[in-house]
Amino acid sequence: MRPKIQLALDCLSIEEAIKACQSGVVDEVDILECGYCLINIEGARVVKIFREIFPDKPLLADPKIVDASKKIGGALLDGRPDYMTILCNCERGTIAGVQEEAAKRGLNPKLQIELYGHWSYDDIPMWKEMGITQLTLQHSGDKPGTWDEEEIATLTELAKHGIPVAATGAISINELELFRGIPVSTFIFGRAILNADDPVQMARDIKAKIAEIWPE
């Protein structure tokens, strides 16, 4: 299956995020993400705002919930995101709390685990049992450079565990070759698209490159 393209709005304000979308770039990607930085700076209201602006676009909220799942999850779910991220070192109850808040609202968002810092392959069966739909491996923005051999090997191993795997962090069109042969479900791009001279054309170029490396 060909990887999807997710656009992360890791902006410092709602105004900046809205401006970034005005070029039409949202039409060129599969999923729009209310990024971790944006949610932390502006609050849960950003999800509501972008749901109103783009009512038919698949929308992901990226709070990386690790605690207080009912309060944080509930506030974000009021914006009706299609996807939401939970951090890997949470308790089982954190996942259950988000699911309970979703059920109260008659929603069924796809919950994803973000793999960051210390985690274990042994947790994957539990995550699958609890209905997690994707694992996202991140190259930290606080880590210099791009993906190294160890990270690529980890992503390759994760893809063998029967759950979709996404890649995020320090990925541009030139880095896509690093992932050739790996069944990545989604590539998450931020600055590589938003900071391009022509974000719409860059998104199209990335789409073409993905189609070249992962032909259907």
Short mmCIF file of all heavy atoms in Angstrom, two decimals, residues 119 121 137-140 142-157 167-171 175-180 182:
data_model
loop_
_atom_site.label_atom_id
_atom_site.label_comp_id
_atom_site.label_asym_id
_atom_site.label_seq_id
_atom_site.Cartn_x
_atom_site.Cartn_y
_atom_site.Cartn_z
N TRP A 119 10.84 2.63 24.96
CA TRP A 119 9.65 1.82 24.75
C TRP A 119 10.12 0.39 24.45
O TRP A 119 11.31 0.13 24.31
CB TRP A 119 8.81 2.36 23.59
CG TRP A 119 9.57 2.52 22.29
CD1 TRP A 119 10.30 3.59 21.89
CD2 TRP A 119 9.70 1.55 21.26
NE1 TRP A 119 10.87 3.37 20.67
CE2 TRP A 119 10.52 2.12 20.26
CE3 TRP A 119 9.20 0.25 21.06
CZ2 TRP A 119 10.87 1.43 19.08
CZ3 TRP A 119 9.54 -0.42 19.90
CH2 TRP A 119 10.37 0.17 18.92
N TYR A 121 9.22 -3.47 22.33
CA TYR A 121 8.44 -4.26 21.38
C TYR A 121 7.41 -5.11 22.11
O TYR A 121 6.38 -5.48 21.53
CB TYR A 121 9.36 -5.18 20.56
CG TYR A 121 10.23 -4.46 19.56
CD1 TYR A 121 11.60 -4.30 19.78
CD2 TYR A 121 9.70 -3.95 18.37
CE1 TYR A 121 12.41 -3.66 18.86
CE2 TYR A 121 10.50 -3.31 17.43
CZ TYR A 121 11.86 -3.17 17.68
OH TYR A 121 12.66 -2.53 16.77
N LEU A 137 7.02 6.24 14.53
CA LEU A 137 8.39 6.35 15.00
C LEU A 137 8.92 7.73 14.64
O LEU A 137 8.86 8.15 13.49
CB LEU A 137 9.27 5.27 14.37
CG LEU A 137 10.71 5.20 14.89
CD1 LEU A 137 10.73 4.83 16.38
CD2 LEU A 137 11.52 4.17 14.09
N GLN A 138 9.44 8.42 15.64
CA GLN A 138 9.88 9.80 15.46
C GLN A 138 11.39 9.94 15.56
O GLN A 138 12.02 9.41 16.48
CB GLN A 138 9.22 10.71 16.50
CG GLN A 138 9.61 12.17 16.35
CD GLN A 138 9.01 13.03 17.43
OE1 GLN A 138 8.92 12.63 18.59
NE2 GLN A 138 8.58 14.22 17.07
N HIS A 139 11.95 10.68 14.62
CA HIS A 139 13.32 11.18 14.76
C HIS A 139 13.17 12.52 15.48
O HIS A 139 12.60 13.46 14.93
CB HIS A 139 13.98 11.36 13.39
CG HIS A 139 15.32 12.02 13.47
ND1 HIS A 139 16.49 11.30 13.52
CD2 HIS A 139 15.68 13.33 13.50
CE1 HIS A 139 17.52 12.15 13.59
NE2 HIS A 139 17.04 13.38 13.58
N SER A 140 13.65 12.60 16.69
CA SER A 140 13.41 13.77 17.52
C SER A 140 13.95 15.05 16.88
O SER A 140 15.05 15.07 16.31
CB SER A 140 14.07 13.58 18.88
OG SER A 140 14.04 14.79 19.63
N ASP A 142 15.02 17.31 18.54
CA ASP A 142 16.16 17.70 19.39
C ASP A 142 17.41 16.87 19.08
O ASP A 142 18.44 17.05 19.73
CB ASP A 142 15.79 17.53 20.87
CG ASP A 142 14.68 18.48 21.30
OD1 ASP A 142 14.61 19.57 20.74
OD2 ASP A 142 13.90 18.10 22.18
N LYS A 143 17.29 15.98 18.09
CA LYS A 143 18.42 15.15 17.68
C LYS A 143 18.96 15.67 16.36
O LYS A 143 18.19 15.82 15.40
CB LYS A 143 17.98 13.70 17.55
CG LYS A 143 19.10 12.74 17.17
CD LYS A 143 18.57 11.30 17.11
CE LYS A 143 19.67 10.32 16.75
NZ LYS A 143 19.17 8.92 16.73
N PRO A 144 20.24 15.98 16.26
CA PRO A 144 20.77 16.53 15.02
C PRO A 144 20.74 15.53 13.87
O PRO A 144 20.69 14.31 14.08
CB PRO A 144 22.21 16.91 15.38
CG PRO A 144 22.57 16.00 16.52
CD PRO A 144 21.28 15.83 17.29
N GLY A 145 20.78 16.07 12.65
CA GLY A 145 20.85 15.21 11.47
C GLY A 145 19.52 14.59 11.12
O GLY A 145 18.46 14.94 11.65
N THR A 146 19.60 13.62 10.21
CA THR A 146 18.40 12.92 9.77
C THR A 146 18.45 11.47 10.26
O THR A 146 19.27 11.12 11.12
CB THR A 146 18.26 12.99 8.24
OG1 THR A 146 16.98 12.43 7.86
CG2 THR A 146 19.37 12.22 7.53
N TRP A 147 17.59 10.65 9.73
CA TRP A 147 17.47 9.27 10.18
C TRP A 147 18.78 8.51 10.00
O TRP A 147 19.39 8.54 8.94
CB TRP A 147 16.36 8.57 9.41
CG TRP A 147 14.99 9.04 9.81
CD1 TRP A 147 14.49 10.29 9.67
CD2 TRP A 147 13.96 8.27 10.42
NE1 TRP A 147 13.21 10.36 10.15
CE2 TRP A 147 12.85 9.13 10.61
CE3 TRP A 147 13.86 6.94 10.80
CZ2 TRP A 147 11.66 8.70 11.18
CZ3 TRP A 147 12.67 6.50 11.36
CH2 TRP A 147 11.59 7.37 11.55
N ASP A 148 19.19 7.79 11.05
CA ASP A 148 20.41 7.00 10.97
C ASP A 148 20.08 5.53 10.75
O ASP A 148 18.90 5.14 10.70
CB ASP A 148 21.28 7.19 12.22
CG ASP A 148 20.55 6.85 13.52
OD1 ASP A 148 19.68 5.94 13.51
OD2 ASP A 148 20.84 7.47 14.56
N GLU A 149 21.10 4.71 10.62
CA GLU A 149 20.90 3.28 10.32
C GLU A 149 20.12 2.57 11.41
O GLU A 149 19.29 1.70 11.12
CB GLU A 149 22.26 2.61 10.12
CG GLU A 149 22.99 3.03 8.86
CD GLU A 149 24.28 2.27 8.65
OE1 GLU A 149 24.56 1.35 9.46
OE2 GLU A 149 25.00 2.58 7.69
N GLU A 150 20.35 2.95 12.64
CA GLU A 150 19.64 2.30 13.75
C GLU A 150 18.15 2.61 13.69
O GLU A 150 17.30 1.72 13.91
CB GLU A 150 20.21 2.77 15.09
CG GLU A 150 19.56 2.11 16.29
CD GLU A 150 20.16 2.56 17.62
OE1 GLU A 150 21.14 3.33 17.59
OE2 GLU A 150 19.64 2.13 18.66
N GLU A 151 17.80 3.84 13.39
CA GLU A 151 16.38 4.21 13.30
C GLU A 151 15.70 3.52 12.13
O GLU A 151 14.55 3.06 12.25
CB GLU A 151 16.26 5.73 13.16
CG GLU A 151 16.62 6.48 14.44
CD GLU A 151 16.74 7.97 14.23
OE1 GLU A 151 17.31 8.38 13.20
OE2 GLU A 151 16.27 8.73 15.10
N ILE A 152 16.39 3.43 11.01
CA ILE A 152 15.83 2.73 9.85
C ILE A 152 15.63 1.25 10.16
O ILE A 152 14.60 0.65 9.81
CB ILE A 152 16.75 2.89 8.61
CG1 ILE A 152 16.77 4.36 8.16
CG2 ILE A 152 16.29 2.00 7.47
CD1 ILE A 152 15.45 4.89 7.64
N ALA A 153 16.60 0.65 10.87
CA ALA A 153 16.47 -0.75 11.26
C ALA A 153 15.29 -0.96 12.21
O ALA A 153 14.56 -1.95 12.11
CB ALA A 153 17.77 -1.23 11.92
N THR A 154 15.09 -0.01 13.12
CA THR A 154 13.96 -0.10 14.06
C THR A 154 12.63 -0.01 13.31
O THR A 154 11.70 -0.78 13.57
CB THR A 154 14.03 1.03 15.10
OG1 THR A 154 15.25 0.90 15.85
CG2 THR A 154 12.84 0.98 16.05
N LEU A 155 12.53 0.91 12.36
CA LEU A 155 11.31 1.05 11.57
C LEU A 155 11.03 -0.23 10.78
O LEU A 155 9.89 -0.69 10.69
CB LEU A 155 11.43 2.24 10.62
CG LEU A 155 10.14 2.69 9.93
CD1 LEU A 155 9.19 3.31 10.93
CD2 LEU A 155 10.44 3.67 8.80
N THR A 156 12.09 -0.80 10.21
CA THR A 156 11.95 -2.05 9.46
C THR A 156 11.43 -3.17 10.34
O THR A 156 10.55 -3.94 9.94
CB THR A 156 13.31 -2.45 8.85
OG1 THR A 156 13.79 -1.40 8.00
CG2 THR A 156 13.19 -3.72 8.03
N GLU A 157 11.95 -3.26 11.56
CA GLU A 157 11.50 -4.30 12.49
C GLU A 157 10.05 -4.06 12.92
O GLU A 157 9.24 -5.00 12.99
CB GLU A 157 12.41 -4.32 13.72
CG GLU A 157 12.01 -5.32 14.80
CD GLU A 157 12.04 -6.76 14.32
OE1 GLU A 157 12.84 -7.08 13.43
OE2 GLU A 157 11.24 -7.57 14.85
N ALA A 167 6.36 7.31 9.86
CA ALA A 167 7.66 7.91 10.13
C ALA A 167 7.53 9.42 10.16
O ALA A 167 6.86 10.01 9.30
CB ALA A 167 8.68 7.49 9.07
N THR A 168 8.18 10.04 11.14
CA THR A 168 8.10 11.50 11.25
C THR A 168 9.41 12.06 11.78
O THR A 168 10.15 11.39 12.48
CB THR A 168 6.94 11.92 12.19
OG1 THR A 168 6.82 13.34 12.18
CG2 THR A 168 7.18 11.46 13.62
N GLY A 169 9.68 13.31 11.42
CA GLY A 169 10.86 14.01 11.91
C GLY A 169 12.01 13.98 10.94
O GLY A 169 12.44 12.91 10.51
N ALA A 170 12.48 15.16 10.55
CA ALA A 170 13.67 15.30 9.69
C ALA A 170 13.53 14.53 8.38
O ALA A 170 14.47 13.88 7.93
CB ALA A 170 14.93 14.86 10.44
N ILE A 171 12.34 14.58 7.78
CA ILE A 171 12.12 13.92 6.50
C ILE A 171 11.79 14.98 5.45
O ILE A 171 10.90 15.79 5.64
CB ILE A 171 10.96 12.91 6.57
CG1 ILE A 171 11.23 11.85 7.65
CG2 ILE A 171 10.76 12.22 5.21
CD1 ILE A 171 10.05 10.91 7.88
N GLU A 175 15.14 12.53 1.70
CA GLU A 175 15.28 11.43 2.66
C GLU A 175 14.40 10.23 2.34
O GLU A 175 14.59 9.15 2.91
CB GLU A 175 14.95 11.92 4.07
CG GLU A 175 16.11 12.55 4.82
CD GLU A 175 16.47 13.91 4.25
OE1 GLU A 175 15.59 14.78 4.17
OE2 GLU A 175 17.64 14.09 3.87
N LEU A 176 13.44 10.38 1.45
CA LEU A 176 12.52 9.28 1.18
C LEU A 176 13.23 8.02 0.70
O LEU A 176 12.79 6.90 0.98
CB LEU A 176 11.46 9.72 0.16
CG LEU A 176 10.40 10.68 0.69
CD1 LEU A 176 9.54 11.21 -0.45
CD2 LEU A 176 9.53 10.02 1.75
N GLU A 177 14.33 8.19 0.01
CA GLU A 177 15.09 7.01 -0.47
C GLU A 177 15.58 6.14 0.68
O GLU A 177 15.76 4.93 0.50
CB GLU A 177 16.28 7.46 -1.32
CG GLU A 177 15.94 7.90 -2.73
CD GLU A 177 15.52 6.74 -3.64
OE1 GLU A 177 15.69 5.57 -3.23
OE2 GLU A 177 15.04 7.01 -4.75
N LEU A 178 15.78 6.73 1.85
CA LEU A 178 16.24 5.96 3.00
C LEU A 178 15.25 4.87 3.38
O LEU A 178 15.62 3.87 4.00
CB LEU A 178 16.46 6.88 4.20
CG LEU A 178 17.56 7.95 4.10
CD1 LEU A 178 17.48 8.88 5.31
CD2 LEU A 178 18.93 7.30 4.00
N PHE A 179 13.98 5.07 3.04
CA PHE A 179 12.92 4.18 3.48
C PHE A 179 12.49 3.19 2.40
O PHE A 179 11.52 2.45 2.58
CB PHE A 179 11.70 5.01 3.91
CG PHE A 179 12.00 6.00 5.00
CD1 PHE A 179 12.42 7.28 4.70
CD2 PHE A 179 11.88 5.63 6.33
CE1 PHE A 179 12.70 8.20 5.70
CE2 PHE A 179 12.16 6.54 7.35
CZ PHE A 179 12.58 7.83 7.03
N ARG A 180 13.19 3.18 1.28
CA ARG A 180 12.83 2.28 0.18
C ARG A 180 12.77 0.84 0.67
O ARG A 180 13.68 0.36 1.36
CB ARG A 180 13.83 2.41 -0.97
CG ARG A 180 13.47 1.61 -2.20
CD ARG A 180 14.51 1.75 -3.30
NE ARG A 180 14.45 3.05 -3.95
CZ ARG A 180 13.69 3.34 -5.00
NH1 ARG A 180 12.91 2.39 -5.51
NH2 ARG A 180 13.73 4.53 -5.55
N ILE A 182 10.56 -0.38 2.78
CA ILE A 182 9.87 -0.49 4.06
C ILE A 182 8.40 -0.11 3.86
O ILE A 182 8.12 0.93 3.27
CB ILE A 182 10.49 0.44 5.12
CG1 ILE A 182 11.99 0.16 5.26
CG2 ILE A 182 9.79 0.26 6.47
CD1 ILE A 182 12.71 1.15 6.17
#
